[in-house]
Amino acid sequence: MSDAKAPTTDRDRFASRMRGERRRTQRSIPSAEYPTHFIAWDRPYVATLKEVSKTGACFHVEGPCPEQSFDSVGVLDLTIKTPWEDVYRRGRVTWDRRSTDGVYFGVEYVDLAKDADCVGLLNMDKVKVDPTWALRIPASLALRRQVLPFAQADGHVYVACANVQDTGALHAVEKLVASPVRGEPAELESLKRALDRVYADLQSTPGKPRSIDVRSLAEMQPDDCVALCDELLHAAVLRQASDIHLDPDVDALQVRFRVDGNLERYLRLPTALQSGVLNRFKVLSAMDIAEKRAPQDGGFKHRYGRAGQTIDIRVATLPTKHGERMTLRLLALQTESLTLERLGMVDRDLQCFNRYLDQSHGMILLTGPTGSGKTTTLYAAIRRLLQRENLNVLTVEDPIEYEMRGVAQVEVDSADKVTFLKALRSVLRHDPDVIMVGEIRDAETADVAIKASLTGHLVFSTLHTNSAVSVITRLADMGVDRFLIAATMRLAVAQRLVRLLCPRCRKPRPLTVGEATALGDASLAGQTVFEPGGCIYCAGKGFIGRIGLFELLPLDEGWSRLIARGAEEAELIASMRSQQIPTLLHDGIAKVLNGATSVREVIGAVSAW
Ligand SMILES: [Zn+2]
């Protein structure tokens, strides 16, 4: 073997360029374009490596352009997948250029040799903190010693810390969480921010929420229930839960959180605390404490965080065999970042959706089962409209899930004083440009909404059907005249939500023949798909957030004629097929193949009906 003086293969050329070595022989750029994975704004992206220089590289991301430019992210952790190995590089984005075929951006590699200390440090801004562990230690300990237990994986509770050498602090945490711990060095500034997020509330208001020592739950007095309830709310907010469930069973009160559509166990409280906890929430929601045998509804505002954010919480009780159960619904968490891009609309759908948003009248209907994110999409659409123009936007909702600046929102009253129909009629007298009706539940509401869209308003609403096509048949079944449907309906959108795989721990594997068949395309067998893993970034869950699957049915003239002459659902479906309009399943398959979600998630979401 000769000692190769100059690198000759692509691999050598690439490796030496990556090392930033100056060699005369490797002026040419590696010919292969390697796929490169990275995460920006909590979403996975795949780029193609276009050019490498000794200080950086240029990448190309195809398809949907994110609204923000990549240089607003700053530093990216890039995984360049060469055929022989994965090369990790950290790069600072220096420029971002939009083109018809996607985005090009350049990075300057952060010098790893010089920056060695920083490599491998946990960036707590990107970590999902699991309150199950974080709230087991007192705020004073966490803040003083700068330790934060944040996740459990492979039998250990991981503790982010400023100083891993501080074994005293780690021992203290180990005792409190009652599980072996592993210290994980964290980048100091991000750790401080995380500590502030988790423990600021527990510090600033003495006597207010504090961490509960699970081991001493049995000895807790009913008086402690105020602190306990505060902790539950705090934990739910930290975990970004949509609901808190309090379920009594034979020997305990089970506390569970709904996170990204799935129920997670949080705590089991001794039965002795049951009435104390329930009473506390009942008092907050102005319910009758004495009434235990009839279901009740109520709600309250919860204030949290340094900035004093508030969220609305809807509370409902139901008497069961082992006592009352209670569900607390947390409304309006994290809405400022809601954009159509972030909801997971691919470029094709986004362009189509935006085209219909530009129209001054007509009806856009979203459809899907409860919890499929329809309302979120409506809000994102309205937000986009408001950005572009000065419009008078009025909404009728039940309940108001997000408060939006610049929008007059009307809430439907459960006592039937203000129904969708009544509210909608009065809204029309206020000269709106855009009207959003939370849901079309009956023929009368459908009728008023249709007429409003006929008289020069843009109307958004939702319906409970399983596909975009069935929106038309459902409206017809409600008794809406088919000519009116044909004249007003502009766009029908079916939607589902699937969980987003944590891009840091997802595991590749080939798609099986069975799964490919279940997805309706046997030829897909053998393609690479991903399974959830579980790592410290996703609190060991393997998933991190959710994205939507969409099916857009634009109803142009041809469709209007079909609808007007009374075409049945089967005929509408056939027409959709012949025009090759992508369905929910198509969108799901695309999102499985690009690694955003798993096969099981898509099959579960799409075949849920
Ligand atoms: Zn993970």
Side-chain angles (χ1 to χ4, degrees):
M1 287 287 277
S2 69
D3 54 336
K5 278 173 201 134
T8 46
T9 63
D10 261 3
R11 175 186 181 158
D12 294 341
R13 264 198 293 274
F14 181 78
S16 57
R17 272 177 189 276
M18 282 318 223
R19 283 197 294 272
E21 286 167 9
R22 199 187 295 262
R23 286 200 193 156
R24 241 174 292 151
T25 43
Q26 27 109 9
R27 240 175 238 152
S28 66
I29 289 151
S31 52
E33 299 187 333
Y34 303 116
T36 302
H37 296 250
F38 65 91
I39 299 159
W41 310 289
D42 284 340
R43 275 192 53 186
Y45 285 89
V46 183
T48 311
L49 174 70
K50 284 294 190 191
E51 264 173 52
V52 189
S53 77
K54 87 182 156 57
T55 53
C58 163
F59 296 91
H60 172 221
V61 179
E62 244 180 293
C65 288
E67 217 166 54
Q68 301 106 309
S69 111
F70 282 113
D71 41 13
S72 69
V73 190
V75 173
L76 291 177
D77 285 314
L78 304 148
T79 308
I80 304 165
K81 298 207 176 275
T82 71
W84 47 89
E85 65 181 335
D86 287 357
V87 180
Y88 300 96
R89 281 293 176 267
R90 180 167 291 182
R92 189 169 295 112
V93 183
T94 48
W95 54 268
D96 176 296
R97 200 181 69 228
R98 270 95 219 287
S99 151
T100 45
D101 62 340
V103 192
Y104 289 84
F105 66 92
V107 305
E108 196 177 77
Y109 290 131
V110 176
D111 189 346
L112 292 175
K114 208 168 66 193
D115 221 19
D117 287 341
C118 170
V119 177
L121 290 185
L122 201 56
N123 180 351
M124 290 304 287
D125 292 335
K126 295 186 175 164
V127 168
K128 291 257 175 204
V129 173
D130 188 344
T132 314
W133 308 108
L135 298 186
R136 292 288 79 77
I137 70 169
S140 54
L141 169 70
L143 295 171
R144 202 175 60 240
R145 309 293 279 268
Q146 298 193 308
V147 285
L148 173 53
F150 64 94
Q152 188 182 39
D154 33 87
H156 286 82
V157 170
Y158 283 81
V159 183
C161 41
N163 175 15
V164 231
Q165 257 52 286
D166 187 356
T167 45
L170 285 175
H171 277 309
V173 174
E174 193 159 63
K175 263 191 178 163
L176 288 160
V177 300
S179 158
V181 300
R182 197 169 276 176
E184 202 50 53
E187 194 271 319
L188 189 59
E189 289 310 309
S190 68
L191 176 62
K192 282 182 180 162
R193 280 189 290 275
L195 286 167
D196 191 62
R197 235 178 6 252
V198 178
Y199 301 106
D201 273 11
L202 310 176
Q203 273 267 303
S204 53
T205 41
K208 284 290 276 181
R210 57 189 169 83
S211 61
I212 304 294
D213 189 345
V214 195
R215 294 162 309 161
S216 64
L217 273 177
E219 293 112 59
M220 271 182 81
Q221 298 303 310
D223 294 356
D224 297 325
C225 285
V226 171
L228 187 55
C229 289
D230 285 341
E231 191 219 276
L232 294 183
L233 291 172
H234 183 54
V237 170
L238 274 182
R239 190 74 190 98
Q240 295 173 350
S242 58
D243 304 80
I244 305 174
H245 291 255
L246 304 172
D247 265 314
D249 57 26
V250 187
D251 56 355
L253 179 67
Q254 172 146 240
V255 183
R256 290 181 297 178
F257 293 160
R258 190 173 290 283
V259 180
D260 293 340
N262 279 52
L263 272 182
E264 283 177 9
R265 273 185 61 170
Y266 180 65
L267 268 184
R268 273 176 81 80
L269 298 175
T271 308
L273 297 175
Q274 184 173 325
S275 66
V277 169
L278 261 56
N279 283 348
R280 168 70 183 158
F281 284 132
K282 279 183 169 176
V283 169
L284 285 173
S285 359
M287 289 184 193
D288 181 358
I289 299 182
E291 179 60 80
K292 288 185 164 62
R293 273 181 273 174
Q296 295 189 68
D297 291 311
F300 61 96
K301 267 191 196 312
H302 172 59
R303 187 176 284 274
Y304 69 97
R306 237 186 236 298
Q309 301 98 304
T310 56
I311 47 168
D312 280 314
I313 299 182
R314 295 296 178 107
V315 187
T317 66
L318 187 68
T320 69
K321 192 171 164 215
H322 298 290
E324 275 179 300
R325 64 154 292 151
M326 184 177 266
T327 308
L328 296 95
R329 179 113 208 260
L330 283 69
L331 301 172
L333 274 174
Q334 300 232 319
T335 61
E336 56 294 324
S337 56
L338 279 182
T339 60
L340 294 167
E341 288 85 355
R342 286 197 66 145
L343 295 174
M345 262 197 200
V346 298
D347 208 23
R348 171 198 67 225
D349 291 347
L350 205 54
Q351 280 173 10
C352 172
F353 200 87
N354 285 337
R355 204 165 60 241
Y356 287 92
L357 286 186
D358 281 337
Q359 303 200 349
S360 62
H361 62 278
M363 187 137 89
I364 298 178
L365 282 184
L366 274 88
T367 180
T370 308
S372 58
K374 308 179 288 264
T375 325
T376 313
T377 308
L378 284 186
Y379 281 114
I382 287 179
R383 182 158 304 181
R384 163 156 309 211
L385 280 176
L386 287 171
Q387 268 173 8
R388 271 203 313 240
E389 283 175 81
N390 210 352
L391 294 170
N392 183 19
V393 183
L394 287 155
T395 71
V396 185
E397 305 171 56
D398 177 28
I400 294 175
E401 287 187 42
Y402 308 92
E403 276 177 35
M404 267 189 300
R405 233 173 250 245
V407 177
Q409 293 171 282
V410 180
E411 187 159 275
V412 170
D413 192 295
S414 53
D416 254 20
K417 254 191 199 153
V418 189
T419 60
F420 270 119
L421 185 60
K422 279 186 197 161
L424 185 53
R425 282 199 178 121
S426 1
V427 154
L428 282 170
R429 288 179 219 119
H430 288 266
D431 181 29
D433 298 302
V434 179
I435 305 167
M436 172 183 141
V437 187
E439 193 188 330
I440 294 182
R441 286 183 192 162
D442 49 54
E444 290 85 2
T445 314
D447 192 52
V448 178
I450 292 258
K451 281 179 183 143
S453 62
L454 204 58
T455 52
H457 306 98
L458 188 60
V459 178
F460 292 98
S461 190
T462 69
L463 258 185
H464 276 263
T465 67
N466 58 351
S467 70
V469 155
S470 49
V471 164
I472 296 154
T473 36
R474 175 62 54 88
L475 284 175
D477 288 346
M478 278 181 168
V480 180
D481 190 296
R482 281 184 168 264
F483 286 101
L484 284 180
I485 303 176
T488 56
M489 273 299 296
R490 290 290 166 269
L491 180 69
V493 183
Q495 182 176 351
R496 300 287 188 278
L497 284 180
V498 291
R499 287 186 290 168
L500 198 55
L501 284 167
C502 170
R504 288 184 172 80
C505 61
R506 59 180 183 186
K507 295 181 281 194
R509 65 165 176 85
L511 187 70
T512 66
V513 178
E515 287 168 335
T517 317
L519 291 173
D521 185 352
S523 70
L524 294 173
Q527 298 241 34
T528 304
V529 295
F530 294 85
E531 283 292 297
C535 72
I536 52 178
Y537 280 92
C538 55
K541 316 279 183 203
F543 292 98
I544 205 154
R546 285 193 287 182
I547 50 164
L549 304 181
F550 296 94
E551 173 179 305
L552 272 70
L553 177 60
L555 299 161
D556 55 19
E557 263 191 74
W559 281 91
S560 291
R561 274 196 296 275
L562 260 182
I563 298 166
R565 74 169 164 77
E568 291 296 319
E569 188 157 331
E571 194 180 340
L572 297 172
I573 292 172
S575 168
M576 208 172 154
R577 243 184 234 139
S578 69
Q579 293 182 38
Q580 295 188 325
I581 295 173
T583 64
L584 275 173
L585 187 61
H586 292 133
D587 197 27
I589 292 171
K591 280 163 183 160
V592 164
L593 293 179
N594 75 11
T597 190
S598 71
V599 181
R600 187 189 284 249
E601 282 289 304
V602 167
I603 292 177
V606 174
S607 62
W609 280 63

